[in-house]
Amino acid sequence: MRQTILVTAATGTVGREIIKQLSMQEVNARAGVHSIIKGENLKRLPGVEIVEIDFRDPDSLHAAFTHVDRLMLITPLSEEQMEMTRNLVDEAKRQGVKHIVKLSALGAGAEPGIQLGRWHREMERYVEESGIPYTILRPAGFMQNLVNHSADTIKREGKFYMPVGDGKVSFIDTRDIAAVAVEVLTGDNHEGNIYELTGPETYSHQEMAVMLGEAAGKEITFVDVPEDAARNAMLSRHTPEPIADALLELYAAHKAGKSAKVTDTVKQVTGREPHTFRQFAKDYHECF
Ligand SMILES: NC(=O)c1ccc[n+]([C@@H]2O[C@H](COP(=O)([O-])OP(=O)(O)OC[C@H]3O[C@@H](n4cnc5c(N)ncnc54)[C@H](OP(=O)(O)O)[C@@H]3O)[C@@H](O)[C@H]2O)c1
């Protein structure tokens, strides 16, 4: 019988790619979407059903988890992410889910690490202590952050702004995170494992700007900005203060060269090399 796999945050950067890749497998892929309208595109994929889910609403969770075998647990970066995780794991327990795959972040195991990692570690622990077999995915920063957060200024001004200096980062393409997730969700022998996922190389933002520019056929410049300016920009976009501070701490780690760990886990789990930044830039050049 086909397994039913629930993916939460299914309209998000990683979730929608997982749903896309699951739709090519012999499974029932259930896309947990916050708003049905945003999930419309996913509905057209073969073998995919859409279910409306609000992590804070127990009734919606109960319906979304009915007959679910495995859970891909993704929560947004939010002040409520721990509470959301608790609600999801508790419902998984109640409904007899057999395997949870949690999207975490690289560095969640570091001590003392940074705030973003500590938040993820707390969520990982809740999954580990649930008694449900689990696998943890800890990806590096996403190449697709440039699409989500910098495409507007690149299109308008040919520039993007970050307080990261020339620190190198082992950015990963979210298509590779999804490929690992699909392998784990549809395969065996991954229980209890923690997978640290990175791209194949490290890149400074200056180097990424050059590669993006070559792919897009125009000049693209990276502008290093002071922390204060980055903080003010986040607060003016209504980013909650604790989240803004946690992101600044991450950017300081990037700047100090502390986000440059490279692993070969994507290749080990999927049998394929992860995308390089040059390939990402080529595939996404129209966004810029
Ligand atoms: N970005 C990075 O570089 C990076 C690196 C490592 C780890 N991570 C981790 O990746 C995770 C985020 O994944 P992502 O980037 O794929 O997500 P994302 O693109 O930020 O999307 C978040 C998703 O959560 C949904 N959502 C928000 N509130 C919800 C609620 N109350 N109930 C149900 N759904 C809700 C959103 O739907 P609506 O839009 O409809 O509200 C959206 O689909 C975070 O845990 C983050 O720490 C990120």
Side-chain angles (χ1 to χ4, degrees):
M1 211 170 89
R2 281 176 169 236
Q3 296 214 58
T4 297
I5 301 174
L6 171 65
V7 179
T8 64
T11 57
T13 314
V14 178
R16 68 169 172 262
E17 189 57 43
I18 294 176
I19 288 289
K20 217 191 275 170
Q21 295 188 24
L22 275 179
S23 75
M24 292 175 241
Q25 305 287 322
E26 297 290 311
V27 297
N28 299 323
R30 188 175 294 171
V33 303
H34 198 194
S35 87
I36 291 283
I37 294 173
K38 283 197 192 166
E40 275 302 310
N41 287 344
L42 300 175
K43 223 157 72 183
R44 294 189 202 107
L45 297 167
V48 173
E49 59 175 336
I50 306 285
V51 59
E52 202 163 9
I53 182 169
D54 183 337
F55 301 150
R56 293 161 302 194
D57 170 14
D59 288 342
S60 78
L61 292 182
H62 181 78
F65 273 82
T66 306
H67 305 309
V68 166
D69 297 292
R70 302 204 197 196
L71 167 66
M72 180 69 225
L73 195 170
I74 307 176
T75 46
L77 174 56
S78 141
E79 288 177 290
E80 294 161 279
Q81 58 191 346
M82 186 66 221
E83 187 197 333
M84 292 171 169
T85 300
R86 272 194 223 108
N87 292 348
L88 287 161
V89 172
D90 291 351
E91 190 61 36
K93 242 161 124 173
R94 274 193 287 274
Q95 302 218 27
V97 169
K98 299 181 203 74
H99 188 178
I100 298 179
V101 183
K102 148 118 181 95
L103 184 68
S104 177
L106 194 63
E111 288 188 8
I114 61 174
Q115 185 59 61
L116 286 174
R118 286 192 293 275
W119 282 332
H120 269 298
R121 185 68 199 120
E122 201 185 338
M123 294 185 275
E124 288 180 359
R125 280 217 181 87
Y126 200 78
V127 172
E128 290 167 7
E129 287 163 9
S130 69
I132 300 174
Y134 65 87
T135 309
I136 310 279
L137 309 184
R138 290 183 181 161
F142 304 164
M143 294 180 185
Q144 278 77 0
N145 289 346
L146 281 164
V147 177
N148 296 339
H149 307 305
S150 302
D152 284 350
T153 60
I154 291 176
K155 269 193 207 143
R156 269 200 321 270
E157 311 162 21
K159 292 182 182 160
F160 63 105
Y161 304 81
M162 301 276 291
V164 291
D166 56 7
K168 293 212 179 203
V169 182
S170 54
F171 284 108
I172 184 167
D173 190 311
T174 52
R175 293 174 293 185
D176 296 319
I177 303 172
V180 170
V182 167
E183 200 61 42
V184 174
L185 287 163
T186 57
D188 299 317
N189 305 324
H190 299 288
E191 287 175 11
N193 293 352
I194 296 178
Y195 292 135
E196 294 190 329
L197 307 174
T198 75
E201 302 162 344
T202 60
Y203 314 92
S204 70
H205 284 66
Q206 289 85 347
E207 289 166 342
M208 294 196 295
V210 170
M211 288 186 264
L212 273 186
E214 284 168 5
K218 64 182 192 184
E219 192 175 330
I220 296 178
T221 310
F222 162 67
V223 183
D224 185 27
V225 292
E227 258 195 23
D228 275 357
R231 189 167 198 277
N232 289 339
M234 284 193 269
L235 297 183
S236 72
R237 289 193 300 268
H238 308 293
T239 305
E241 240 175 293
I243 302 281
D245 288 339
L247 285 169
L248 288 174
E249 194 187 12
L250 173 71
Y251 299 147
H254 287 357
K255 194 169 184 165
K258 292 180 183 163
S259 311
K261 180 174 186 174
V262 174
T263 70
D264 63 356
T265 316
V266 171
K267 172 90 190 283
Q268 276 183 26
V269 176
T270 66
R272 293 189 304 274
E273 296 289 347
H275 293 81
T276 60
F277 189 81
R278 199 170 282 288
Q279 186 63 49
F280 161 83
K282 208 169 143 203
D283 295 344
Y284 284 77
H285 72 273
E286 283 176 0
C287 302
F288 303 101

